[in-house]
Amino acid sequence: MLRTHTCGELRISDTGNRVTLCGWVQRSRDLGGMTFIDLRDRYGLTQLAFNMETNPVICEAARKLGREYVIKIQGIVKERESKNAKMPTGDIEIIVDEVEVLNIASTPPFTIEDQTDGGDDLRMKYRYLDLRRNNVRANLELRHRMAIETRNYLDKQNFLEVETPVLIKSTPEGARDFVVPSRMNQGQFYALPQSPQTFKQLLMVAGFDRYYQIVKCFRDEDLRADRQPEFTQIDCEMSFIEREDILNTFEGLVRHLFKTVKGIDLGELPRMSYADAMKYYGCDKPDTRFEMRFCEMNDLVKGKGFKVFDDAELVVGICAKGCSEYTRKQTDELTDFVKKPQVGANGLVYAKIGADGSIKSSVDKFYDPEVLKKWAEAMGAEPGDLLLILAGEANKTRKALSELRLEMGTRLGLRNKDNFQCLWVLDFPLLEYGEEVGRWFAMHHPFTSPLAEDIALLESNPGKVRANAYDMVINGVEVGGGSIRIFNKDLQKKMFRILGFSDEDAQAQFGFLMNAFEFGAPPHGGIAFGFDRLCSLFGGAEGIRDFIAFPKNNSGRDVMIDAPSVIHAEQLKELGIDVKGEISRGCLIAE
Amino acid sequence: MLRTHTCGELRISDTGNRVTLCGWVQRSRDLGGMTFIDLRDRYGLTQLAFNMETNPVICEAARKLGREYVIKIQGIVKERESKNAKMPTGDIEIIVDEVEVLNIASTPPFTIEDQTDGGDDLRMKYRYLDLRRNNVRANLELRHRMAIETRNYLDKQNFLEVETPVLIKSTPEGARDFVVPSRMNQGQFYALPQSPQTFKQLLMVAGFDRYYQIVKCFRDEDLRADRQPEFTQIDCEMSFIEREDILNTFEGLVRHLFKTVKGIDLGELPRMSYADAMKYYGCDKPDTRFEMRFCEMNDLVKGKGFKVFDDAELVVGICAKGCSEYTRKQTDELTDFVKKPQVGANGLVYAKIGADGSIKSSVDKFYDPEVLKKWAEAMGAEPGDLLLILAGEANKTRKALSELRLEMGTRLGLRNKDNFQCLWVLDFPLLEYGEEVGRWFAMHHPFTSPLAEDIALLESNPGKVRANAYDMVINGVEVGGGSIRIFNKDLQKKMFRILGFSDEDAQAQFGFLMNAFEFGAPPHGGIAFGFDRLCSLFGGAEGIRDFIAFPKNNSGRDVMIDAPSVIHAEQLKELGIDVKGEISRGCLIAE
């Protein structure tokens, strides 16, 4: 090794020892008689001291070292006169007597500090410098720890890690595939997996019993801040189990991760039906760090002459504790918030409950104090609270109120990122109707089993059939989801028919799975967690990008390596494909 | 759980307990009064007993169960009358009183036994049934164990597992890339990584210090039995190290794997220079389970009138211990062996050393007994040995003798697959000359550092420059290789120039790495192990396919899922690409 110690490990007990350190020059202070340099590596910072009086040659040399120079030094560990309690190495410094410059560095385009002056684009272009920042590196260290602990837990539970193929077959169901032209089978394409779904089910048919994989998946979708074309899943499947076994096993995984990575003991995880989640939170992934449950008010508001409420399919409200003193400006802000296109309400009705119990609402014209009191009672409101009420088409109104609820949670400081509330959401609908194309779609995927008691409804009332599916939600974020699978060939065929597949299409696309079901498929089910998202949640961040070493931007570009890029004409020729005329001009590299 | 126990865990101590098991019907024996079924799951086999006298209904039901039916049974654990010491559960059986058929099974296309009657094609088409076979599943269990132990070791050594991107940029250097058309950037393509080489170097620039990943890589090459278009590497990189540190660290990994997975203690690993490997074994990955080193004989054979030897650039031989009694038929076989086109020698000269020390050679006409005696001495041969000698152009002759040496090792039983001999091969040439294109190529890759003492030769005599590179060889198989990297921008530029890149090409393709070197790159180096190959070696197998859950065939096809396949015309349109005219006919699915 070029060093005897890292920059994070020397302590007062090392005083007097001669050591060799390597690292990057973090910062340099020149105090006339002394020059101090903070030397940085992955493990920490160590202060280097250079004395102009006792060793002017080396002190002069030190003064020439620029930021981010890579150096190797030797010297003696000495107790510091003014200790720095904030640094693990803050009790000591190194009196340096040898310096070797291993590599020089140009001035970085942004400062390598926890708070950087680099904008997003610049940070991504120089991601290798951005990754030098402690907080970004800490995110990836967290990710490493999460992966190790996930594997430890699952290994102990007898799960086998099996790698499934990346070059697979395109299926038009679901999101858009990335495809890979085959040179050896010209005119044909592989697809990159959106998930190893069918392979993990085949592993269950193969008797592997318990499978997992931390695996890259791919979706060619238009990107949002929180989506990447390649993302990572913790993908799992089990045989000879029922839903309860999956819930227990993976509740165990999440509990293990919180315990080992964050030192947090989670209690037993609450469960909620999809129907209740929609009714009480307007959303299938409620943030349960705070209550503020919905109160449906149709019975209390209809028939008093207020047309907005009278015409509404649903009138529904929430109670914001302690907000009765909101000013006109504040209630106007909330009205503006709900009217934003992405929220989509037409307006907001509010009622303030004064300290004396008197109620003042924005619809006093239509509702007398006695009625308003009933509203307050229904919502469990107390003096000092603010009622916020939306009305309109049921689904749309629930969605809008869900947004308003989250907004109020944020305003009231109820969404602390260090408070973790986990929740299972159960009994999702199996199917949803796609109006534009006039057919049913699988809400989860076509391999999800209906609840046994709902199978009879499959043909008569598909929309009422509940799936044997489950999502894990943490702080309002869906971090995982799965289902008990269909393992019977006839039921699987019926499912494909309901989804509008002809028998031929189903056979062409999923024949290998349905054929496999002929040879003794066991009852099985599984789950997949979004690993990037889970890591960012543990790291207390909103976005997933800083938990991915080399992410892509919203156009799917890696701006650091400048990919995707044009390729040689010879490569296209070998693959038997052409770039379309108008696109190709100026795009191809000639041979 | 649908079961109380697996099929591998019941013992004599469980006698009398009521249990529930699930699994597949492995085989069924009907002995009139009794029916026995072996029930199989991943964990083992358990014998089920059905008594026609005491419970005729259930015994009749049991007789109807076909092979590979999936069943759930309940019953009482009983000590067996005739125990089976070969099975962990062989002391007990279950007296079954309830049977539930969870799924029926068609007759499998081949037998689900260790020795199957299924050919390769059939096994691959029904891979999910092939994976039910104990030995195939055991291979994948071994792979799981290898991955876990690799991670345990590297985690303890402070390596961080970092996922590098799969959608990257195509580079024409090296093997052919798989490419992925970009929909959002039409006319442009991603490439799938042949290795995370540049990313792991960027992680070193980023100060990650120690990186690893067990990662899928991709090469669009014509396939051989032992190559797959997607394969897995244990990929590692370290900073602030010298070659010695890499060798120690990864010798440690291999020692850890042998110890924990195979229970084998490896001693310190021997090292050999590339020059010695070529001189003594004719090969850069010698099988050192046996000696039989080459003896160069030019000094001993020239000038005696034997034209074949006189004209030869190199005359070189090996001594096959105890083979002097080989018959004419056997020596003819060896002559035929070396004349095979893939071996490429023109003929074989032999000399047999009789028990009395007298020597009989195939070239007695030219060499008198005194000379032959000198040959024997030079080779350290003893009475009873057989000398085998080849002559011709040096490289070609070494290669041919290397093949003959391996053949003799096999014939003499010296290549036991349970004997593991590991070896570091060091100091490879940095460059090799490509005659057809008239330029130098990097033998390892363009980021490999020359040995410090050879840098001066880079311009004057590139062919003489040795790389600071190393391969790990086990039993004649290269399982890993790596190098100390260039970390200086100017040297990297010079390297690209020697490899025939214009500065512009180098910048366009590797600019991001060379730019990164401007901002303080640390000294670094690394290694990658072929994980599929390492697993197959540990498993004592020749091929890698049965250590991959879902491999592709030699045409790059997954015959189980039938990929690659044609895709919808709409998909191509969205991607802005066309399949070329003559290929597209009949290939595309119309919208």
Side-chain angles (χ1 to χ4, degrees), chain B residues 34-298:
Chain B
M34 294 291 289
T35 292
F36 294 101
I37 285 179
D38 284 346
L39 189 67
R40 186 196 68 231
D41 67 12
R42 176 183 128 197
Y43 311 93
L45 286 174
T46 299
Q47 179 164 297
L48 312 180
F50 301 83
N51 190 320
M52 186 53 100
E53 273 178 40
T54 60
N55 200 336
V57 175
I58 208 148
C59 193
E60 285 293 355
R63 288 181 182 178
K64 292 193 187 113
L65 299 172
R67 278 191 174 229
E68 301 303 318
Y69 272 43
V70 186
I71 61 172
K72 172 179 164 183
I73 62 94
Q74 294 188 52
I76 307 290
V77 182
K78 181 172 161 274
E79 183 171 358
R80 271 207 223 179
E81 280 175 26
S82 57
K83 299 194 170 57
N84 181 345
K86 286 184 197 150
M87 286 167 70
T89 64
D91 287 351
I92 58 97
E93 62 191 7
I94 315 293
I95 309 300
V96 178
D97 53 40
E98 274 188 51
V99 176
E100 183 187 343
V101 175
L102 296 172
N103 221 337
I104 59 166
S106 302
T107 306
F110 50 83
T111 55
I112 313 289
E113 304 277 358
D114 290 3
Q115 294 297 327
T116 183
D117 54 354
D120 236 34
D121 291 350
L122 207 57
R123 286 177 50 213
M124 289 304 144
K125 175 153 189 211
Y126 296 92
R127 182 63 164 175
Y128 46 87
L129 297 180
D130 195 36
L131 288 170
R132 284 186 190 168
R133 295 168 56 225
N134 285 321
N135 40 356
V136 182
R137 194 192 56 245
N139 292 341
L140 290 158
E141 287 173 342
L142 171 73
R143 186 180 176 116
H144 166 75
R145 190 49 44 206
M146 300 272 291
I148 288 273
E149 291 300 343
T150 298
R151 291 192 174 101
N152 282 349
Y153 176 84
L154 294 172
D155 185 47
K156 284 212 186 78
Q157 303 273 332
N158 265 326
F159 283 79
L160 286 177
E161 187 178 20
V162 181
E163 293 175 57
T164 53
V166 175
L167 296 171
I168 66 163
K169 184 173 175 162
S170 189
T171 55
E173 187 73 348
R176 208 181 280 108
D177 285 324
F178 283 104
V179 298
V180 180
S182 166
R183 179 180 56 85
M184 285 199 275
N185 305 273
Q186 289 201 352
Q188 299 186 26
F189 294 77
Y190 302 100
L192 303 183
Q194 297 184 28
S195 93
Q197 184 63 35
T198 47
F199 289 97
K200 68 176 175 175
Q201 292 194 244
L202 289 171
L203 285 172
M204 294 304 104
V205 175
F208 272 52
D209 207 73
R210 297 180 168 205
Y211 143 92
Y212 85 97
Q213 194 181 187
I214 300 184
V215 61
K216 274 277 174 76
C217 301
F218 305 86
R219 263 176 222 176
D220 186 11
E221 286 187 338
D222 296 325
L223 302 171
R224 300 185 307 227
D226 212 22
R227 275 207 194 148
Q228 287 279 315
E230 49 180 301
F231 54 98
T232 304
Q233 288 190 350
I234 305 172
D235 192 51
C236 307
E237 197 82 4
M238 301 172 81
S239 289
F240 300 119
I241 46 78
E242 294 171 301
R243 182 174 79 182
E244 198 58 30
D245 305 310
I246 301 261
L247 299 186
N248 288 335
T249 304
F250 293 99
E251 208 169 302
L253 170 62
V254 171
R255 210 178 276 125
H256 176 82
L257 288 175
F258 270 105
K259 182 69 190 162
T260 54
V261 177
K262 304 283 290 180
I264 293 173
D265 276 305
L266 288 186
E268 203 170 311
L269 267 54
R271 299 175 183 191
M272 191 184 292
S273 71
Y274 171 86
D276 278 355
M278 295 310 290
K279 184 178 167 91
Y280 295 117
Y281 299 94
C283 163
D284 62 0
K285 40 177 193 279
D287 185 344
T288 50
R289 280 174 297 187
F290 63 107
E291 274 286 330
M292 213 185 280
R293 282 158 65 121
F294 287 14
C295 176
E296 299 191 354
M297 304 174 64
N298 283 17

Side-chain angles (χ1 to χ4, degrees), chain A residues 1-3 22 24 42-43 70 102-107 128-129 131-132 137 141 143-145 148 151 155 158-170 176 178-190 199 202 205-210 216 218 220-223 230 232 240-242 245 487 512 516 518-521 549-550 552 555-557 560-565 571-578 580 583, chain B residues 1-3 22 24 42-43 70 102-107 128-129 131-132 137 143-145 148 151 155 158-170 176 178-190 199 202 205-210 216 218 220-223 230 232 240-242 245 487 512 516 518-521 549-550 552 555-557 560-565 571-578 580 583:
Chain A
M1 303 286 165
L2 300 186
R3 63 194 172 201
C22 294
W24 285 262
R42 176 183 128 196
Y43 311 93
V70 187
L102 297 172
N103 220 337
I104 59 166
S106 301
T107 306
Y128 45 86
L129 298 179
L131 289 169
R132 285 187 189 167
R137 195 192 57 245
E141 287 174 341
R143 187 180 175 115
H144 166 76
R145 190 50 41 206
I148 287 274
R151 291 192 174 99
D155 186 47
N158 266 323
F159 283 78
L160 286 176
E161 188 178 21
V162 180
E163 292 176 57
T164 52
V166 175
L167 297 171
I168 66 164
K169 185 174 176 162
S170 188
R176 210 184 277 107
F178 283 105
V179 297
V180 180
S182 167
R183 180 180 56 86
M184 286 200 273
N185 305 273
Q186 289 201 351
Q188 298 186 26
F189 294 78
Y190 301 100
F199 290 97
L202 289 171
V205 176
F208 272 51
D209 209 72
R210 295 179 169 207
K216 274 277 173 77
F218 305 86
D220 186 11
E221 286 186 339
D222 295 325
L223 302 170
E230 50 180 301
T232 303
F240 299 120
I241 46 78
E242 295 171 301
D245 305 310
F487 69 106
F512 57 97
E518 284 208 28
F519 294 102
F550 300 102
K552 294 189 173 55
S555 315
R557 291 201 75 81
M560 179 186 72
I561 63 172
D562 194 23
S565 63
Q571 278 178 285
L572 290 178
K573 197 174 151 198
E574 281 193 316
L575 295 170
I577 59 172
D578 277 326
K580 286 202 173 151
I583 300 161
Chain B
M1 304 284 167
L2 300 185
R3 63 194 172 200
C22 294
W24 285 262
R42 176 183 128 197
Y43 311 93
V70 186
L102 296 172
N103 221 337
I104 59 166
S106 302
T107 306
Y128 46 87
L129 297 180
L131 288 170
R132 284 186 190 168
R137 194 192 56 245
R143 186 180 176 116
H144 166 75
R145 190 49 44 206
I148 288 273
R151 291 192 174 101
D155 185 47
N158 265 326
F159 283 79
L160 286 177
E161 187 178 20
V162 181
E163 293 175 57
T164 53
V166 175
L167 296 171
I168 66 163
K169 184 173 175 162
S170 189
R176 208 181 280 108
F178 283 104
V179 298
V180 180
S182 166
R183 179 180 56 85
M184 285 199 275
N185 305 273
Q186 289 201 352
Q188 299 186 26
F189 294 77
Y190 302 100
F199 289 97
L202 289 171
V205 175
F208 272 52
D209 207 73
R210 297 180 168 205
K216 274 277 174 76
F218 305 86
D220 186 11
E221 286 187 338
D222 296 325
L223 302 171
E230 49 180 301
T232 304
F240 300 119
I241 46 78
E242 294 171 301
D245 305 310
F487 69 105
F512 57 97
E518 285 208 27
F519 294 101
F550 300 101
K552 295 190 172 53
S555 315
R557 292 201 73 80
M560 180 186 71
I561 63 171
D562 194 24
S565 63
Q571 278 178 285
L572 291 176
K573 198 174 150 198
E574 281 194 317
L575 295 170
I577 58 173
D578 278 326
K580 284 200 174 150
I583 300 160

